[in-house]
Amino acid sequence: MDRALPAPRIQPLGWGLIGFRLLLMLLMLVVCTPLHFAWRAVGAGRWWPRIFLSAIGAIAGLHIRTEGRAVPGALLLSNHVSWLDIPALAHTAGSAFVAHDGLAAFPFLKWLCEMNDTVFIARHDRASVAEQAGHVRAAMAARGRLTLFPEGTTSDGTSPIAFKSSLLSALEPLPEGVAVQPVALVYEDAERIAWVGEEHGLDNFKRILARLRPIRLTVRFLPPLGGAELAGRKAISAAARSAIAGTMAR
């Protein structure tokens, strides 16, 4: 098990920075929410949630460098390091996300996720695998790019942990015309950004917002999988993890 980080010891300047960033995030929420519902009412899509998430990343100090490009309509398979991964991929790929249903237990988080068309799945409910697979397929058909984090949890950002092929049940058989594209999220200071061990989510959130230095992230869109790499969910998960691990080792 990863060692837990101690509770953050935040200096007065850090608390001031937290307060300032939270105020900016709240202002963005107040501006973007009514615009989002107005856009949706006329069928204009989820442009404002993407703007909101991009702004959250920028306010938190996220500086993104992109290599490659996201394939239109692809399922993106990414390593998972931090909550910052969400605004990063929303900004660079305009992606919606697949999330575990535990988030749905928090009304405010569920509301935010639903605005960006998040698909909730129950990882441990084997009885509803077919139904959940249908939801993922429908989401991909309606919303374009969709991101799944096959690790099922966050890692320390130095290399991906084992991918859980069960999370890819929606891709067996692979829907016609769907590209599967690995994405590597490479943080410059990964071990200080990662949310691992027993660190409380709120402590991690405060630690990130109190940080003075910018958070530098390279988002690498790798070539889509093909051929034998797409021969079932186990082959897909193994090939995607291998591609991501290879580029993170550079």
Side-chain angles (χ1 to χ4, degrees):
M1 179 181 293
D2 294 306
R3 295 180 58 189
L5 289 173
R9 187 172 182 177
I10 299 173
Q11 301 301 319
L13 180 59
W15 283 112
L17 193 54
I18 290 173
F20 177 66
R21 284 174 163 162
L22 286 175
L23 178 60
L24 291 179
M25 289 178 181
L26 179 59
L27 288 174
M28 285 302 303
L29 182 63
V30 169
V31 169
C32 291
T33 299
L35 290 170
H36 163 67
F37 287 114
W39 253 243
R40 290 297 286 263
V42 297
R46 54 181 176 82
W47 192 69
W48 284 102
R50 178 182 178 183
I51 294 297
F52 172 71
L53 288 170
S54 297
I56 292 299
I59 292 168
L62 191 59
H63 291 207
I64 302 173
R65 177 173 175 262
T66 304
E67 296 180 3
R69 60 186 295 272
V71 173
L75 179 75
L76 306 178
L77 301 183
S78 173
N79 62 308
H80 196 13
V81 182
S82 166
W83 58 270
L84 290 167
D85 303 346
I86 305 298
L89 287 169
H91 175 71
T92 57
S95 177
F97 297 87
V98 177
H100 66 82
D101 62 348
L103 288 176
F106 300 92
F108 180 67
L109 286 178
K110 180 182 179 183
W111 177 66
L112 288 177
C113 291
E114 287 178 340
M115 282 200 293
N116 195 47
D117 292 341
T118 296
V119 181
F120 293 103
I121 61 171
R123 298 178 191 164
H124 307 296
D125 185 3
R126 295 186 179 275
S128 64
V129 167
E131 181 182 358
Q132 295 181 72
H135 290 163
V136 172
R137 289 169 183 261
M140 292 189 65
R143 302 161 196 169
R145 298 186 189 102
L146 195 65
T147 296
L148 176 68
F149 299 108
E151 291 165 301
T153 186
T154 50
S155 65
D156 65 7
T158 58
S159 63
I161 58 178
F163 280 12
K164 298 178 179 178
S165 63
S166 61
L167 296 177
L168 301 177
S169 298
L171 297 179
E172 202 168 40
L174 187 69
E176 185 177 352
V178 170
V180 181
Q181 184 174 21
V183 184
L185 303 180
V186 185
Y187 287 88
E188 184 178 274
D189 199 11
E191 294 181 349
R192 294 183 180 275
I193 302 302
W195 178 16
V196 293
E198 299 299 323
E199 183 182 24
H200 193 280
L202 182 58
D203 287 339
N204 178 270
F205 184 69
K206 291 186 296 185
R207 181 164 62 83
I208 295 298
L209 294 193
R211 181 184 168 99
L212 293 174
R213 296 177 57 192
I215 299 167
R216 303 192 186 280
L217 167 64
T218 299
V219 179
R220 291 179 181 149
F221 293 102
L222 304 176
L225 304 183
E229 295 173 329
L230 298 174
R233 57 186 172 87
K234 291 186 177 181
I236 291 171
S237 61
R241 186 192 178 278
S242 176
I244 292 170
T247 193
M248 291 179 71
R250 288 186 348 204

